[in-house]
Amino acid sequence: MSAPIIGITVDQHEKRFRVSFAYADAVVTAGGIPILLPPILGQEKHFMTLCDGFVFTGGDDPKMETWNLTTHEKATPVAKERQEFELSLLQKLQKMPNVPVLGVCLGMQWMGLLAGGSLEQDLPEPLASHHGAGEHKVAGSIGEGIVHTHHHQALTNAGSLTVVASADDGVIEAVRDESRSWYVGVQWHPERTKDHQLGQGLFEQLLTAAIFKKHTNA
């Protein structure tokens, strides 16, 4: 049986698509075949047919008008095309519970918002320590360790999702949908996290679920 194909979303900037090499490297190391998914609305069903699993990567900030809220003045809004495409793809994947999905940073925020959760658009003091790139500890049923993080927004409510990790200050750091085969969102960047369980291990779990999907033709 061929290795699972994992679709990786990409950012859009000045008529170019871009994404960190680290995502593809992590998928390959875990035993998968990575392909990059340009945010072209209308292609979602083709990608869903092609891919055995998905990684929704990090990026800029959600445009909150989609949820009838005003986007914060300190936000850097994600490209309109990317937001429309990724939300559409995630919504369509709700009907395919056996397809594994990993959401990273922005990807986790999409998951939470679509699940009826809420987002703090600019973390205040003393939570502002999350701003910028760095490392901090997280703990929960998903595991415990030091993770690489870079964000100034965070879910304040996970909606229908289960919170499976938090930072010491209470910021929600990971969520999952217990009703699906493997649907996990993390606020940190596992592709840059040294801790195996909370880094490369998440890609290995994604691939294990994708292999099971291929084997069962689910």
Side-chain angles (χ1 to χ4, degrees):
M1 183 172 59
S2 61
I5 296 174
I6 304 298
I8 301 172
T9 65
V10 301
D11 206 2
Q12 181 173 321
H13 181 70
E14 295 181 352
K15 296 185 178 182
R16 293 178 183 272
F17 299 132
R18 63 183 186 182
V19 68
S20 169
F21 289 2
Y23 290 103
D25 289 345
V27 168
V28 171
T29 300
I33 300 171
I35 65 168
L36 305 184
L37 308 180
I40 302 173
L41 202 61
Q43 297 299 304
E44 303 95 314
K45 291 185 178 180
H46 298 298
F47 295 148
M48 291 165 67
T49 299
L50 178 64
C51 298
D52 301 298
F54 292 87
V55 177
F56 285 76
T57 62
D60 291 325
D61 304 320
K63 295 176 185 289
M64 296 304 294
E65 283 72 17
T66 298
W67 293 274
N68 298 316
L69 297 170
T70 300
T71 300
H72 197 282
E73 61 182 6
K74 293 185 178 180
T76 302
V78 70
K80 175 177 179 289
E81 295 82 0
R82 180 180 181 186
Q83 175 154 328
E84 291 179 349
F85 168 77
E86 294 194 15
L87 290 178
S88 176
L89 178 57
L90 259 184
Q91 287 173 320
K92 288 178 171 57
L93 285 169
Q94 305 309 308
K95 299 178 182 179
M96 302 179 68
N98 292 320
V99 177
V101 180
L102 172 62
V104 175
C105 199
L106 173 64
M108 170 180 154
Q109 293 168 8
W110 293 144
M111 289 176 165
L113 289 167
L114 286 179
S118 54
L119 182 73
E120 173 59 62
Q121 295 192 61
D122 192 58
L123 290 167
E125 295 290 354
L127 305 180
S129 60
H130 290 263
H131 289 213
E135 295 183 334
H136 64 72
K137 182 180 178 181
V138 303
S141 60
I142 198 172
E144 179 177 340
I146 303 298
V147 297
H148 183 96
T149 183
H150 186 186
H151 67 103
H152 74 110
Q153 300 190 337
L155 293 177
T156 55
N157 183 298
S160 62
L161 302 178
T162 300
V163 176
V164 292
S166 300
D168 289 343
D169 53 19
V171 169
I172 296 173
E173 290 284 344
V175 295
R176 76 183 309 151
D177 186 338
E178 303 287 358
S179 69
R180 298 171 60 99
S181 65
W182 201 86
Y183 187 87
V184 175
V186 296
Q187 186 59 66
W188 65 86
H189 284 266
E191 79 284 3
R192 286 183 275 169
T193 291
K194 296 176 183 177
D195 182 283
H196 183 82
Q197 182 179 18
L198 300 176
Q200 183 61 33
L202 291 175
F203 290 92
E204 293 172 1
Q205 291 179 38
L206 174 72
L207 263 295
T208 296
I211 290 170
F212 180 79
K213 173 189 173 295
K214 281 179 67 70
H215 182 71
T216 58
N217 292 316

